[in-house]
Amino acid sequence: MSDRRFDHLRLEQVRRRFGDKVVLDDLNLQIAGGEFVALLGPSGCGKSTALNCLAGLLPLSGGSIWLDQRRVDTQPPEKRGFGMVFQNYALFPHMSVRRNVGFGLAMRGTGRQETRRRVDEALRLVQLTPYADRLPGQLSGGQQQRVAIARAIVIEPPLVLMDEPLSNLDAALRLDMRTEIRRLHQSLGLTTIYVTHDQEEALSLADRLVVLREGVVQQVGTPEELYRSPVNPYVASFMGYRNLLPMTVTGRNGDEATVHGFGIELTGMARGRFDTGPATVAVRPEDFVVGVEPANPQNHIRIAVEVVEYHGREQAIQARLPEGEVLRLRSSNRVSRGDTVSAWVRHDHVLVFGEQLDGPPVEVAAGPSAGVAANDSAPSTAGAPS
Amino acid sequence: MTVAPPAPAPARRHRPPDPRAHLSHRLAERGIDRTLWLLLPGVVFLVALFIYPLAYGLGLSFQPLKSTDPLYNYKQFFTDHLQRDTIGTTLRISLPAALVNVIASVPIAYRMRGRMRGKRFITTMLVIPITLGTVLTADGMLKFFDPAGGWFNKTLFALHIRTPDQPVLLINNYWGVVISLIISGFPFAFLLILSYLSGIDPSLDAAASTLGASPRRRFWQITFPLLAPGLAITFCLTFVLAFSVFPSAYLVGNPTSTTRVISIAAYEARSVETNDSKASTIALIMAVIELLVISVVLFGRGRLYRGSTGGKG
């Protein structure tokens, strides 16, 4: 029915409206066979809509989807042959694990012996062999999710779609399952599109990331590209830049820009074409060096410490700039509430965007899994402009 | 709790504090606490309006007017074919009516289970018959299906499907009662089934479709098995409603022969013969038959999957 291997999946100007609201606006994306692509964005950015359009669960309002020369967006979901893993697992509650996993094969009329062999193989891959005869209700969340994954991959689909598959699991299990998904992808090489709002999940799993905002693609690139050079404050906020300060550019010198505001002056790397005017300055909390007098006075500021959280080797600090703005930092040097300390940051760790971040920055997922991108779980969201 | 008094001076037998939890905690562990009072109104009504009348009727049924044999009424009922046959008559009317109500509700509810334009309007239209009452429905049917002047037959005549000397007879017979029961029972069945269906997680259907299941197989392999226990309950409820049919059996049926249902027999025993004991007997036999049918259905239901259906329940 469907070719397992393909060269390219193409989304051409895929558009989806709900009433007057455009949820997905001219999404163009080309995905190579075998790739692991993450669609990243906060809830309501259109990432799940894109996935449902791919699966055929939602009709398109415009555009087309192609698997090499085969147009798939006009086919019903059962004809596309894509595997899908749902956020709530969507296991059939009245069927045993074995029958759940074998369902797709049964629909394809696969023979009994072949079905048994492939189901056993899939259960072995997700390490659920002892649970084959249980009902889904008798399994833990992590086990249910593994059944859902086995059910999707046993049909050896050309494309696996995963809709926030780990968001219902607790933190420790999420890390385990993440590794498991990575391992499965590496051993089976199934092209995967993975939807998540968790930047750490996206960075650690995907070969390529697509950051979406209100249905519009913001940036496409490898995890490294996005992590190192986000193209705008929105992507930066997703890549761990929790400090997004509205400041004013006062000087530009090649790649470097100098900005003023809140009683401080910073020099950073200019992103975009601008000479003066309003800008958004992005700094990661962990890029600050706290409590050490720098040799070079550049980017040296003094801050008043307001909240200190103990995180083991490091402290998460919420502090205030001389003129009021909240700053988030991380430091292994101990500071206490009420201290006024010095902090500095290397100029190549400061990004200056020649645009304002309109709307509040992205809410960073809470909990330990927010680790890589935002190692700071200070009580409130970033105090950036709105 | 108060502090235990100090041990008596010659502390020969020192009593350690009771290692068990306080009585109120142990009672709460077994579900005995003050919220039990919430059951009081229900219990009062149950006793006054169900258990007492049931016991009274049961006692009455064993005190026949015309004999000293306590089982006289029961023997009479099963030997008199006029009485005995009412069981078959009632089942012949109520079982098909209940079945049609359930079967007709499923596809409509299935189509309407998700979000849908005009859902509220359609639901209202389907549910309106509940508000009409049997008598109004019967009156409407008598006019609509009238063999000579009713719109139904007039239309058939106009379309040359039937000639005026051969009208379709859908009143004052078996069909009249069945139709009336479907009109009044369908809204109940539909509402119940719609709520059972809404309780099934729609992503199960989506998951089955991505796994290659056609709409037909999705229904029979996913939706139907999860819905079946709800269908059994719905069937029981509409069956009980239909089994105790009385007004429509009189108004749109043929109450002396084909629709002489068991409730008519009970009514006649009470009002025509003024034999309360006999009437109670018939009422109890009616209850036992209902219980038998329901037990069969629920026994079958017990063999189905009855756990979570993943939805909002």
Side-chain angles (χ1 to χ4, degrees):
Chain A
M1 172 165 73
S2 54
D3 38 354
R4 179 175 169 197
R5 294 284 159 210
F6 62 94
D7 290 329
H8 287 104
L9 171 76
R10 295 196 314 282
L11 282 75
E12 290 181 353
Q13 306 199 301
V14 169
R15 173 185 285 245
R16 172 69 200 172
R17 282 191 304 267
F18 286 114
D20 292 338
K21 194 173 171 349
V22 177
V23 188
L24 208 56
D25 195 10
D26 287 350
L27 176 63
N28 288 295
L29 194 61
Q30 179 155 328
I31 293 167
E35 231 186 333
F36 196 123
V37 173
L39 301 184
L40 178 62
S43 59
C45 74
K47 57 191 191 308
S48 290
T49 305
L51 204 70
N52 283 319
C53 286
L54 263 168
L57 300 172
L58 276 178
L60 304 188
S61 309
S64 54
I65 303 172
W66 299 81
L67 206 58
D68 289 337
Q69 300 311 313
R70 175 162 79 106
R71 182 168 180 175
V72 292
D73 61 278
T74 48
Q75 294 182 312
E78 62 265 27
K79 293 277 193 293
R80 298 191 187 187
F82 298 164
M84 182 150 175
V85 179
F86 292 78
Q87 185 171 7
N88 66 353
Y89 322 139
L91 299 180
F92 309 129
H94 57 299
M95 295 184 187
S96 67
V97 168
R98 175 175 295 286
R99 280 190 63 208
N100 262 283
V101 175
F103 188 84
L105 297 174
M107 292 303 117
R108 282 161 176 70
T110 310
R112 179 181 300 204
Q113 287 201 332
E114 170 80 356
T115 300
R116 193 167 180 88
R117 186 184 65 74
R118 282 168 69 175
V119 169
D120 284 342
E121 167 73 11
L123 287 175
R124 196 181 54 73
L125 267 176
V126 296
Q127 298 158 20
L128 280 177
T129 308
Y131 301 94
D133 297 316
R134 302 237 184 132
L135 288 177
Q138 298 166 315
L139 302 181
S140 70
Q143 290 167 336
Q144 291 189 30
Q145 189 53 281
R146 299 217 294 270
V147 176
I149 292 172
R151 187 177 67 176
I153 61 175
V154 75
I155 56 176
E156 298 183 356
L159 184 64
V160 180
L161 307 169
M162 297 197 178
D163 189 2
E164 308 220 15
L166 306 185
S167 60
N168 285 347
L169 303 178
D170 64 54
L173 204 51
R174 213 172 328 170
L175 290 179
D176 291 348
M177 284 303 297
R178 207 167 77 190
T179 314
E180 191 126 331
I181 289 174
R182 186 76 191 149
R183 181 174 64 78
L184 282 173
H185 178 253
Q186 283 170 351
S187 59
L188 301 177
L190 298 173
T191 314
T192 306
I193 299 181
Y194 187 102
V195 159
T196 181
H197 64 268
D198 182 325
Q199 47 275 65
E200 190 193 352
E201 236 169 73
L203 287 169
S204 59
L205 282 172
D207 302 321
R208 256 189 331 147
L209 267 62
V210 178
V211 180
L212 280 168
R213 177 193 199 183
E214 286 168 8
V216 181
V217 172
Q218 302 292 302
Q219 190 171 2
V220 181
T222 65
E224 173 121 28
E225 282 165 7
L226 267 73
Y227 193 74
R228 289 217 182 280
S229 3
V231 295
N232 60 30
Y234 178 83
V235 179
S237 73
F238 248 108
M239 292 295 133
Y241 288 89
R242 291 205 67 201
N243 297 299
L244 294 161
L245 308 170
M247 296 171 81
T248 309
V249 183
T250 53
R252 170 93 189 236
N253 179 13
D255 282 347
E256 291 185 12
T258 306
V259 290
H260 276 89
F262 308 112
I264 59 169
E265 180 189 274
L266 291 174
T267 301
M269 309 303 291
R271 292 276 183 266
R273 292 180 183 177
F274 56 88
D275 289 319
T276 52
T280 302
V281 178
V283 190
R284 288 198 177 94
E286 59 270 32
D287 286 339
F288 283 103
V289 180
V290 180
V292 179
E293 294 292 332
N296 177 354
Q298 194 188 44
N299 287 353
H300 179 214
I301 57 178
R302 292 195 75 78
I303 50 168
V305 177
E306 289 190 336
V307 180
V308 177
E309 284 178 32
Y310 177 72
H311 283 193
R313 260 173 53 188
E314 285 188 320
Q315 285 175 321
I317 301 161
Q318 185 176 314
R320 222 166 257 283
L321 291 173
E323 285 179 18
E325 189 68 8
V326 168
L327 200 65
R328 288 148 205 287
L329 313 92
R330 295 186 70 86
S331 168
S332 48
N333 294 327
R334 299 290 174 219
V335 296
S336 307
R337 181 169 172 269
D339 290 355
T340 298
V341 296
S342 75
W344 65 278
V345 57
R346 281 170 48 167
H347 77 282
D348 54 346
H349 285 158
V350 178
L351 300 183
V352 181
F353 297 101
E355 57 184 295
Q356 299 280 357
L357 176 64
D358 43 343
V362 178
E363 288 245 7
V364 171
S369 74
V372 167
N375 248 321
D376 179 357
S377 47
S380 64
T381 53
S386 54
Chain B
M1 212 193 147
T2 53
V3 178
R12 264 179 247 135
R13 271 175 41 207
H14 175 70
R15 255 182 74 187
D18 190 344
R20 292 182 304 172
H22 188 270
L23 180 67
S24 65
H25 293 303
R26 278 183 282 139
L27 287 176
E29 196 70 24
R30 290 162 191 276
I32 300 169
D33 57 29
R34 281 183 302 172
T35 57
L36 276 182
W37 288 112
L38 294 174
L39 300 181
L40 188 68
V43 171
V44 168
F45 277 102
L46 195 69
V47 170
L49 299 178
F50 179 68
I51 294 179
Y52 171 72
L54 179 69
Y56 185 82
L58 192 65
L60 208 57
S61 73
F62 293 119
Q63 298 161 30
L65 291 183
K66 296 169 188 159
S67 165
T68 51
D69 177 4
L71 292 176
Y72 174 80
N73 281 328
Y74 291 90
K75 287 174 182 161
Q76 270 299 110
F77 183 89
F78 287 104
T79 44
D80 179 356
H81 77 91
L82 264 183
Q83 306 281 15
R84 191 179 61 215
D85 290 353
T86 59
I87 295 178
T89 305
T90 317
L91 286 176
R92 263 196 298 282
I93 292 170
S94 55
L95 284 176
L99 212 56
V100 167
N101 282 337
V102 171
I103 291 173
S105 299
V106 174
I108 303 176
Y110 187 68
R111 180 64 188 82
M112 291 180 58
R113 70 197 187 284
R115 255 185 270 168
M116 173 182 164
R117 195 172 299 180
K119 181 172 178 171
R120 185 185 294 252
F121 174 75
I122 296 172
T123 311
T124 311
M125 293 306 291
L126 291 173
V127 167
I128 277 178
I130 288 185
T131 62
L132 294 181
T134 331
V135 177
L136 194 64
T137 309
D139 192 49
M141 282 178 60
L142 287 174
K143 294 202 167 67
F144 182 70
F145 291 122
D146 187 274
W151 287 2
F152 181 73
N153 276 306
K154 272 186 177 172
T155 309
L156 293 184
F157 303 155
L159 296 173
H160 301 291
I161 295 168
R162 285 290 176 131
T163 52
D165 52 325
Q166 280 184 317
V168 175
L169 299 175
L170 293 177
I171 46 171
N172 300 322
N173 59 12
Y174 170 82
W175 293 108
V177 184
V178 171
I179 292 170
S180 161
L181 286 175
I182 290 171
I183 291 173
S184 57
F186 173 80
F188 284 107
F190 168 72
L191 285 181
L192 271 169
I193 290 173
L194 186 61
S195 85
Y196 278 115
L197 265 173
S198 321
I200 297 175
D201 180 359
S203 70
L204 298 180
D205 193 72
S209 74
T210 63
L211 290 166
S214 62
R216 177 190 296 263
R217 297 177 98 170
R218 299 205 290 269
F219 177 77
W220 286 111
Q221 301 207 13
I222 308 298
T223 308
F224 185 75
L226 296 174
L227 183 62
L231 295 183
I233 296 287
T234 309
F235 176 83
C236 287
L237 288 173
T238 53
F239 167 74
V240 167
L241 282 177
F243 193 79
S244 54
V245 56
F246 180 76
S248 56
Y250 253 110
L251 298 169
V252 288
N254 182 2
T256 52
S257 67
T258 51
T259 71
R260 189 170 187 273
V261 293
I262 192 164
S263 59
I264 291 180
Y267 171 77
E268 282 175 355
R270 167 75 181 77
S271 302
V272 182
E273 302 174 35
T274 60
N275 187 339
D276 284 6
S277 172
K278 184 176 171 187
S280 295
T281 309
I282 298 173
L284 283 165
I285 289 169
M286 198 171 150
V288 169
I289 291 164
E290 285 178 355
L291 277 177
L292 280 176
V293 172
I294 292 173
S295 313
V296 169
V297 174
L298 291 188
F299 175 77
R301 178 179 181 266
R303 301 160 63 95
L304 301 170
Y305 170 82
R306 278 174 302 154
S308 150
T309 50
K312 54 190 156 75

